[in-house]
């Protein structure tokens, strides 16, 4: 079975500071990995995805994530936080073949302090 | 706007009752997924339909059922409701029957069971 673990249910950063949201995955087969963002009172929106091509993946709004197989990690980063980045972020995993559902982590709430 | 429409946005009902949640996928998308989001369980996959047929089943209770109609909209039926069923129910859609992980989410239906 596949799973993801997000370290830290709440992360708080100052505006302009580095954003680092941690995600570790568990998968017995090569995974597809994703980050989704959920703004207040909205549905989830795809931020970026890793599908076994480049290990450094760039997404929307200046976010990027690096797939590290040796560390089973897929951490999300952004060099400089903006107030509009305040949201809930979800890491998710699925298999790279077949039809298995997307499995989400518990989420990390990002607060940005002015 | 993801293009996925869910109704109703909010629903308050009593224990033992039955409710129906409705989802219209993005234009052209054949797959519909239902997820339940609660504070303690996070985002849990319930069920997937593709072009009217059930494709994958997750942690869906026997009291819950779903279907996808010929016009591709889907309904999630929740019966004999319990307090613990209070949650945000998301519908998501994708073009393919293969779960590539790129899902488009609606804004959710918030169910409160009193």
């Amino acid at each position: 079975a596949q799973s993801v673990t997000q370290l830290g249910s709440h992360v708080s950063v100052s505006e302009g500071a580095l954003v680092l949201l941690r995600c570790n995955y568990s998968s017995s087969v090569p995974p597809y990995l994703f980050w989704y963002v959920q703004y207040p009172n909205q549905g989830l929106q795809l931020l970026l995805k890793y599908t076994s091509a480049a290990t450094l993946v760039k997404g929307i709004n200046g976010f990027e994530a690096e797939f590290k197989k040796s560390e089973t990690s897929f951490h999300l980063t952004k060099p400089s936080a903006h107030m509009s980045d305040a949201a809930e972020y979800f890491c998710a995993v699925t298999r790279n073949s077949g039809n298995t559902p997307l499995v989400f982590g518990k989420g990390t709430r990002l607060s940005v302090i002015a | 706007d993801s293009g996925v429409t869910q109704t109703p946005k909010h629903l308050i009902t009593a224990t033992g009752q039955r409710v129906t949640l409705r989802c219209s996928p993005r234009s052209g998308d054949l797959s519909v997924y239902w997820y339940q989001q609660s504070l303690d369980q996070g985002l849990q996959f319930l069920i997937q339909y593709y072009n009217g047929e059930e494709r994958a089943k997750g942690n869906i209770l026997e009291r819950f059922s779903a279907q996808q109609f010929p016009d591709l909209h889907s309904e999630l039926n929740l019966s004999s409701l319990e307090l613990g069923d209070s949650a945000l129910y998301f519908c998501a859609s994708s073009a393919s029957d293969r779960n590539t992980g790129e899902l488009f989410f609606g804004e959710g239906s918030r169910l409160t069971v009193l």
Side-chain angles (χ1 to χ4, degrees), chain A:
Chain A
Q2 298 175 297
S3 65
V4 289
T5 301
Q6 293 184 242
L7 302 176
S9 59
H10 187 206
V11 170
S12 186
V13 300
S14 298
E15 191 174 20
L18 172 71
V19 175
L20 171 60
L21 304 183
R22 300 177 187 273
C23 172
N24 287 91
Y25 70 90
S26 173
S27 179
S28 57
V29 297
Y32 282 176
L33 292 160
F34 305 81
W35 278 98
Y36 276 80
V37 60
Q38 183 181 25
Y39 298 104
N41 300 312
Q42 293 187 27
L44 280 75
Q45 176 184 359
L46 181 64
L47 203 54
L48 50 78
K49 63 178 180 179
Y50 165 76
T51 55
S52 73
T55 56
L56 182 62
V57 181
K58 295 188 185 298
I60 61 173
N61 301 334
F63 283 94
E64 63 181 36
E66 186 172 8
F67 172 72
K68 291 187 177 181
K69 185 177 179 179
S70 61
E71 299 177 9
T72 61
S73 69
F74 190 58
H75 302 331
L76 181 70
T77 60
K78 182 174 180 177
S80 176
H82 192 273
M83 297 297 289
S84 61
D85 294 328
E88 186 98 19
Y89 291 81
F90 294 90
C91 183
V93 64
T94 189
R95 297 166 66 115
N96 68 352
S97 62
N99 187 37
T100 54
L102 203 56
V103 176
F104 287 88
K106 296 255 187 200
T108 298
R109 181 168 299 279
L110 176 66
S111 297
V112 182
I113 304 168

Side-chain angles (χ1 to χ4, degrees), chain A residues 32 34 36 38 43-44 46 49 90 94 97-102 104 106, chain B residues 35 37 40-41 43 45 48 90 97-103 105-107:
Chain A
Y32 282 176
F34 305 81
Y36 276 80
Q38 183 181 25
L44 280 75
L46 181 64
K49 63 178 180 179
F90 294 90
T94 189
S97 62
N99 187 37
T100 54
L102 203 56
F104 287 88
K106 296 255 187 200
Chain B
Y35 280 84
Q37 185 181 38
D40 53 343
Q41 297 291 324
L43 267 164
F45 169 71
Q48 177 202 357
F90 283 109
D97 62 332
R98 290 176 59 83
N99 190 351
T100 62
E102 296 185 60
L103 304 182
F105 281 80
E107 294 187 357

